[in-house]
Amino acid sequence: ATDTATEPSGGFPPGFVWGVATAAFQIEGATHEDGRGPSIWDTFCATPGRIEGGDTGEVACDHFHRWESDLDLIASLNVQSYRFSVAWPRVFPEGRGQVNVKGLDFYDRLVDGMLERGLQPNATLYHWDLPQALQDRGGWGSRDTAYAFADYAEVVTKRLGDRLAFCATFNEPWCIAILGHATGEHAPGLRDPQLALRVAHHLYVAHGLALPRLRANAPGAEHGIVLNLTPSYPASEAPEDEAAAARFDGFFNRWFLDPLLKGSYPQDLWEGYGDAVPEIAAGDLESFAQPLDFLGVNYYSRAVVAHDEAWPHFRNVPAGEAHTDMGWEVFPQGLTDLLVRLKRDYALPPLYITENGAAYPDRLEGGRVHDPERVRYYALHLTALQEAMRQGVDVRGYYAWSLMDNFEWAKGYSKRFGLFYVDYATQERVLKESGAWYREVVRANGQGLEVPQ
Ligand code: GBH
């Protein structure tokens, strides 16, 4: 008999958590219903030129009305857990002050629906949809927003905390800070690098304030945070490219990892940022580094980086042969390298892969969606994950991004990440071939996993 836990194709450890992920603004629609207030993404979508095709979140996947049948779809994939996010503007239409009970009721029904179907609820409190009222008062650039977040986190976990299995404060602080406030690709669409660093700091102030409240209100749940991490590789062996790759790593990864896991900002970057660094109040860094029950890792691709004369002295260069519809390189080795490196450089809590997946230009033909590239993407990355686990990285679960095609932020509905295809004209969901494949991988706990040619 073979030892299935150690064979590369012998599956995942018993109890490994399989799941699918979504986010509120990307699927719910119903942006004016049951007292929801406007979010910065509603505003951003209404600004001409920001979203491809002028798409908005007003209908999205109409999940707000279709949540029950959507939960049935999730359960049909054999997964043990569903990662979703709570929309702050449903709970506090004005961001703070008056609670909108109807908004909380929606998530209460949703969580009960998960439990009825044997799904472990994995809630993310902030997946980018800040109430517009808070943006009007400075948004994440203002430290006050962190206090508002802590109150919001308190209210949500008071209501749902008895039934949550996992709770994360933030999804992808890098994206919130940099894409929202430095490059302006995401809401609120600002372009001020110094502001972006202040935002990143305030996100962790919020995280630090919220964690004790989550623990008090949801003592049975595992609490953590979700980071997007991008391993970087030098474009050549030239020392200046090696240095550029290290700078990229600092900018993307260490700036966000070190405060959580070491209680400090990386010294080299702190000096490099000069006057742009944020103001640190007494106790901030200690609160950032409170123990986590888990760290969520979202992995999509790597970066290949060369030296550049202009600050920040690095630039991405094209690499690889296979790319997804987002233009991102298919680079599964990056997932292994990233996880092994995290274990080497940090004292880690258990890890979960909270997002991994790929967009491809799917077509519905004769009632079917033939998406072999996505099957291959998943098979390669699950194999790469197994390799990291074989090397001793403690990964407890894996969530596919995404359950279904949805509002892909600045790309609108033009990019499809789902295991289910969504026909937006009818809101019909169709299981893609990759979805059927994932269902069987999950059923077998990854045993016999093979990468198709
Ligand atoms: C996630 O973010 C989001 O959590 C999710 O909502 C979204 O739908 C999903 O991914 C798909 O986009 O080329 O070196 O500059 C994605 C985070 C960060 C991944 C930037 C790609 C590019 C790195 N992205 N990254 S680089």
Side-chain angles (χ1 to χ4, degrees):
T2 49
D3 180 356
T4 53
T6 55
E7 287 276 329
S9 59
F12 285 75
F16 189 79
V17 176
W18 295 91
V20 291
T22 66
F25 191 78
Q26 295 182 271
I27 64 167
E28 286 179 358
T31 51
H32 303 286
E33 261 173 80
D34 281 359
R36 179 188 180 278
S39 79
I40 56 173
W41 273 93
D42 299 276
T43 309
F44 198 62
C45 290
T47 312
R50 298 298 206 162
I51 312 293
E52 202 166 312
D55 291 342
T56 76
E58 282 181 29
V59 178
C61 305
D62 195 32
H63 171 75
F64 190 77
H65 300 116
R66 294 167 196 265
W67 62 273
E68 286 188 275
S69 47
D70 284 342
L71 290 180
D72 290 339
L73 298 181
I74 296 167
S76 79
L77 294 173
N78 300 321
V79 297
Q80 291 86 25
S81 182
Y82 173 43
R83 176 170 179 248
F84 66 107
S85 81
V86 177
W88 187 346
R90 288 199 191 282
V91 178
F92 283 100
E94 295 289 325
R96 64 199 321 164
Q98 193 65 38
V99 175
N100 176 39
V101 175
K102 277 188 159 183
L104 275 175
D105 289 345
F106 173 70
Y107 297 105
D108 195 78
R109 295 193 290 275
L110 191 67
V111 164
D112 280 346
M114 288 179 222
L115 297 184
E116 281 163 24
R117 291 164 181 80
L119 296 166
Q120 301 170 28
N122 182 335
T124 298
L125 293 175
Y126 188 83
H127 200 126
W128 307 355
D129 42 0
L130 185 74
Q132 180 62 42
L134 293 179
Q135 187 62 44
D136 296 343
R137 295 199 262 164
W140 288 112
S142 162
R143 196 176 168 100
D144 285 347
T145 300
Y147 295 98
F149 176 82
D151 291 344
Y152 155 68
E154 166 88 4
V155 164
V156 172
T157 54
K158 268 234 158 75
R159 182 77 187 267
L160 307 180
D162 57 333
R163 286 155 290 156
L164 295 180
F166 304 94
C167 187
T169 51
F170 286 92
N171 180 68
E172 302 188 341
W174 180 89
C175 290
I176 300 165
I178 305 298
L179 301 182
H181 302 82
T183 70
E185 292 162 71
H186 282 182
L190 304 174
R191 297 200 174 92
D192 176 350
Q194 182 161 5
L195 171 64
L197 293 182
R198 195 160 74 237
V199 164
H201 190 78
H202 291 156
L203 294 172
Y204 281 174
V205 172
H207 167 81
L209 288 168
L211 256 190
R213 307 202 192 186
L214 304 191
R215 290 196 186 288
N217 294 334
E222 294 177 30
H223 300 286
I225 188 168
V226 173
L227 302 185
N228 60 298
L229 298 171
T230 305
S232 69
Y233 299 78
S236 80
E237 280 168 22
E240 54 179 19
D241 285 347
E242 306 249 2
R247 266 195 302 279
F248 179 101
D249 178 59
F251 181 84
F252 263 75
N253 303 318
R254 285 188 290 122
W255 191 261
F256 294 87
L257 286 162
D258 284 21
L260 293 173
L261 300 172
K262 295 185 171 172
S264 58
Y265 282 110
Q267 193 62 34
D268 56 330
L269 282 146
W270 186 267
E271 285 160 14
Y273 284 136
D275 291 341
V277 296
E279 198 179 309
I280 301 180
D284 280 359
L285 293 171
E286 292 75 11
S287 87
F288 297 179
Q290 288 170 76
L292 300 166
D293 300 327
F294 74 91
L295 176 67
V297 174
N298 294 353
Y299 177 79
Y300 289 92
S301 188
R302 68 161 169 177
V304 176
V305 180
H307 176 75
D308 198 78
E309 283 311 317
W311 192 89
H313 305 302
F314 60 75
R315 71 190 148 84
N316 290 34
V317 300
E321 276 120 57
H323 298 83
T324 71
D325 200 26
M326 298 294 282
W328 301 341
E329 183 190 1
V330 178
F331 193 71
Q333 179 69 39
L335 179 57
T336 312
D337 292 349
L338 168 67
L339 295 173
V340 169
R341 175 273 175 108
L342 287 177
K343 178 179 157 68
R344 187 194 65 202
D345 289 353
Y346 295 96
L348 294 174
L351 303 181
Y352 288 82
I353 306 302
T354 33
E355 288 181 28
N356 175 237
Y360 286 104
D362 304 307
R363 288 196 321 273
L364 182 60
E365 278 171 333
R368 308 176 66 99
V369 178
H370 178 57
D371 60 340
E373 303 94 336
R374 186 175 288 103
V375 170
R376 197 174 148 74
Y377 182 96
Y378 277 118
L380 286 166
H381 287 79
L382 286 169
T383 304
L385 171 58
Q386 278 187 309
E387 175 56 23
M389 292 169 70
R390 198 190 60 73
Q391 293 186 40
V393 186
D394 182 9
V395 183
R396 305 278 176 95
Y398 176 93
Y399 292 79
W401 183 271
S402 180
L403 165 66
M404 58 185 160
D405 298 336
N406 58 50
F407 177 78
E408 179 48 34
W409 306 112
K411 300 289 182 186
Y413 300 98
S414 72
K415 301 294 177 228
R416 295 180 175 272
F417 274 91
L419 295 173
F420 284 90
Y421 181 92
V422 176
D423 179 349
Y424 292 106
T426 62
Q427 289 294 345
E428 191 193 353
R429 282 86 159 115
V430 178
L431 186 67
K432 299 179 190 177
E433 285 180 7
S434 60
W437 176 88
Y438 188 63
R439 181 183 66 198
E440 296 314 312
V441 168
V442 172
R443 188 200 300 280
N445 195 27
Q447 198 146 11
L449 175 71
E450 273 176 48
V451 180
Q453 283 315 296

